Amino acid sequence: MLDVFFFGGIGLYFLGMVLRFFGQVWKKDGLTKASWMIFMAGFAAHTVYLVMRGIQAGRVPMANQFEFAVMFSWGISVILVFLHYRLGLEWITTVAMIMAWAIYLYAALLPREIHELMPALRSVWFVSHIGSAAFAYASFMLAGASGIRYILIHKKDKEDERLPEIDYFIYRLIAIGLLLLTVTIVIGAIWAEEAWSSFWTWDPKEVWALITWILYAICLHLRLSRKMTGVKMAWFAVIAVPVVLFTFIGVNTIIPGLHSYGVVLSRLM
Amino acid sequence: MKKINTFLRSMTFGVILLGLIILFSVAGSVIPQNNEVMYYVRSYPSYYQVILTLGLNRIFTSWYFVVTVILLCINLTLCSIVRFRRINEEDLVETALQGKETVELDPESLDKVRLELVRMRCHTRQTGDRTVYYKNGFGRYGTFITHLGILFTVVFFALGMSLPKITDQTCMPKESLVLEDGTEIYVDTFSITDSTGRLDYKSVVNIILPNEKESGLTEVSVNHPASAGQYKVYQQTYGTIGRITVRDKKNHQDTFNIESQDFLSSDGKTGILIDNLYPGFTETEEGMQLITSTSGRYENPVYVFVVINETGQEAMLAFPGDSIDVGDYTYYFEDPVEYPGLRIKKSPAYINLFLLIAVLVLVFGLAVTFLWIPVVVLVTPAGYRICSQKAEGLELRLKSVLKKEKE
């Protein structure tokens, strides 16, 4: 039953994405609207999957690479839905759908068995540390998605009136992502002090979280002093996405460290 | 001197330093840190000399990393001072009142702008027909607080990393560890599963300080250290040890913990030579084959030992509960005992408190910078002007209000 919702979510995201693409190419509003409805159905399946898995596991499902990927993808969808309904932002949808689907698909390549939470992860900080990380990464991914959109529009027309809005949202998404990443690192440090006796161990995951934090902090600093706006900011948002993905996937799978329990042997390896 | 000062507090210098920290961090995450020299010789036969010469094996404590961080602290301090001065010198509302509108609008559109600013719950200050709408004045301090937060975090982080003294020790249940300053840590019990059979490494300890104050029997488990005075005790690892009780004919007995190869004998000639305690075994068609368990749990333990007496030597196996007579003694093989590996940390408590305050200042600063954006808008009968800096959101919002009106 769980798998029905899991693969149903992936399938609906994919279908929504394809319809959206053709809706945009053929300029058919009906297709574009239908694609959103299908995406929302996928989002509902995704949400039900997470809730059911959580009930079955008896905990919030964020204990390993698979569960984090599902949560990460869900975070992208949640922010996308918020931007769509609350702020009426349409331009971000296509690329954001692709990102949500791609991360969800990555999760499908990982083992899905439910394991008991290991003692090291049984902490009051578990949900807030990992949850804030998922939403921080999701914000950065959406900033990257907006960056791609900005660059594409900018190539066609440098004076397009949508550009200032997209530029502003790249900045806001990065700012929210940085704030959440700071919360992630701070909570992680407090947790590490309780678990390992030291709030910082220079573990590869910590180091890459710090690298990501510094990169985005530099970006925002330059932005606030007006030295990086427009297309430069958009390029930064896009180029920084691989760093975020490396912090999420690369560090856990390539470099062994204290956070390696996040990985249950991947079928990719 | 002025040029040096300007450079030291400049953003360019700050960005260069942060870039260097990123570079060092990448190197530090790719090259495993703090290993023995031979590890690098074996793992990087072509580059180990470069790694060791440049100190890339201990990059986060290398002089160049420390110097970079110190320079970053100087940059942050100077930058914070300048920012604070600049913020205090400004009175944006007063300046705005003296200014001139930049967006000219008809009275109807201007009313829409006023309405939107009221909807945003702005305060107003009026001089004649000129009104300044403002809110979130405190937001101007956002970047200053953030800089201060980063500075404090780096400083207390450095102290927090260098001041604590950490040691890892093991202790058998019902025994005590005595530390250098006379502090005693008594381990009452240790278990690796809870009452439901779920893995949960838990020690019950009592920390007795030199002034005889004590923590009382306190549970220590993963994520739940016990503390007393400057000490914190963490559940770190655990081990399993064999136990053999030796009894003589007069029923005098003694119990021995088997940590490595041990020869239990009263005369040095007759006795048993313990090879090891194994966590489990499998029986094959050819006979018994011993295995070492990889799960770390001793589900089917077996002792391997050699009986040594006048007649010679004989290798044997024994299971918990078995016994064997050798010479004048009976050797009873007991159930293995699990014991905790504890991490003991001594550090001044105020460091963690200050560090916590520093990171809270940092998070607060970021929240103020990005969520509490100052709004200062001058509205005259001819139009309006956004006077606050970093007000792109407001600009877009007002434009959108006017655009909706046109539509």
Side-chain angles (χ1 to χ4, degrees), chain B residues 45 94 110 172-173 187 202 207-208 257-258 295 317 329 407:
Chain B
E94 205 49 50
L110 212 48
M172 299 303 294
V187 178
K202 194 176 283 178
I207 308 169
I208 304 148
N257 294 327
I258 307 302
S295 71
L317 301 174
Y329 297 91
E407 283 166 3

Side-chain angles (χ1 to χ4, degrees), chain A residues 1 67 101 165 206-207:
Chain A
M1 188 62 179
E67 291 180 351
W101 174 76
E165 189 187 39
E206 294 172 351
V207 171

Side-chain angles (χ1 to χ4, degrees), chain A residues 116-126 191, chain B residues 194 198-201 222-224:
Chain A
E116 192 181 77
L117 203 58
M118 58 195 290
L121 294 179
R122 280 179 227 144
S123 164
V124 289
W125 305 110
F126 173 67
W191 186 2
Chain B
D194 64 13
R198 190 175 70 153
L199 266 185
D200 189 14
Y201 311 102
V222 183
N223 290 319
H224 299 97

Side-chain angles (χ1 to χ4, degrees), chain B residues 118-161:
Chain B
V118 170
R119 206 176 286 155
M120 286 168 64
R121 296 181 183 173
C122 289
H123 308 286
T124 54
R125 195 187 294 175
Q126 202 162 355
T127 307
D129 56 2
R130 304 163 71 81
T131 312
V132 171
Y133 292 81
Y134 65 96
K135 72 168 196 175
N136 295 349
F138 188 70
R140 290 191 301 157
Y141 292 92
T143 51
F144 167 70
I145 297 170
T146 305
H147 277 74
L148 220 54
I150 297 173
L151 178 64
F152 289 161
T153 302
V154 172
V155 170
F156 289 115
F157 170 82
L159 287 175
M161 293 295 280

Side-chain angles (χ1 to χ4, degrees), chain B residues 3 24 60 81 83 86 168 201 211 245 320 354 390-391:
Chain B
K3 270 188 181 173
F24 298 148
F60 300 112
I81 293 168
R83 269 168 200 277
R86 206 181 293 157
D168 290 333
Y201 311 102
N211 60 11
T245 300
F354 285 168
K390 299 153 196 165

Side-chain angles (χ1 to χ4, degrees), chain A residues 116-117 119-123 161 164-165 167-168 171-172 175-176 178-179 182-183 186 190-191 193-202 204 207-208 210-211 213-215 218 220-227 229 255, chain B residues 11 15 18-19 21-22 25-26 29-30 60 65 83 143 147 150 156-157 160-161 166 198-201 222-225 232 234-236 343 345 352 355-356 359 362-363 366-367 369-371 373 390 392-393 396 403:
Chain A
E116 192 181 77
L117 203 58
L121 294 179
R122 280 179 227 144
S123 164
E161 59 176 13
E165 189 187 39
D167 176 51
Y168 178 66
Y171 157 61
R172 295 301 286 168
I176 288 166
L178 186 80
L179 188 58
T182 311
V183 171
V186 169
I190 295 170
W191 186 2
E193 206 279 332
E194 280 184 0
W196 305 324
S197 76
S198 179
F199 39 77
W200 196 263
T201 51
W202 297 108
V207 171
W208 276 91
L210 178 68
I211 291 170
W213 190 92
I214 292 175
L215 269 182
I218 291 174
L220 287 179
H221 204 303
L222 294 173
R223 164 77 189 201
L224 288 173
S225 54
R226 295 257 155 217
K227 287 184 178 157
T229 53
I255 312 172
Chain B
M11 188 163 54
V15 170
L18 289 172
I21 290 174
I22 288 179
S25 299
V26 171
S29 69
V30 173
F60 300 112
F65 188 80
R83 269 168 200 277
T143 51
H147 277 74
I150 297 173
F156 289 115
F157 170 82
M161 293 295 280
I166 294 173
R198 190 175 70 153
L199 266 185
D200 189 14
Y201 311 102
V222 183
N223 290 319
H224 299 97
K232 260 187 167 182
Y234 298 80
Q235 179 60 53
Q236 199 68 15
R343 174 161 287 184
K345 177 180 170 186
N352 281 357
L355 186 62
L356 183 66
V359 293
L362 170 59
V363 173
L366 285 171
T369 307
F370 300 127
L371 306 176
I373 300 159
K390 299 153 196 165
E392 294 158 83
L396 287 169
K403 195 176 160 188

Side-chain angles (χ1 to χ4, degrees), chain A residues 1-7 44-72 74 104 107-117 121 126 261-264 267:
Chain A
M1 188 62 179
L2 265 181
D3 280 354
V4 171
F5 285 104
F6 179 73
F7 288 108
H46 194 164
T47 309
V48 170
Y49 175 75
L50 273 172
V51 172
M52 283 177 65
R53 188 178 172 97
I55 292 169
Q56 208 162 317
R59 56 172 166 76
V60 181
M62 294 191 293
N64 54 40
Q65 189 85 339
F66 165 77
E67 291 180 351
F68 186 84
V70 177
M71 188 58 83
F72 180 6
W74 188 75
Y104 207 177
L109 301 170
L110 300 167
R112 291 190 298 282
E113 294 85 32
I114 295 176
H115 294 280
E116 192 181 77
L117 203 58
L121 294 179
F126 173 67
Y261 49 69
V263 185
V264 176
R267 286 178 197 163

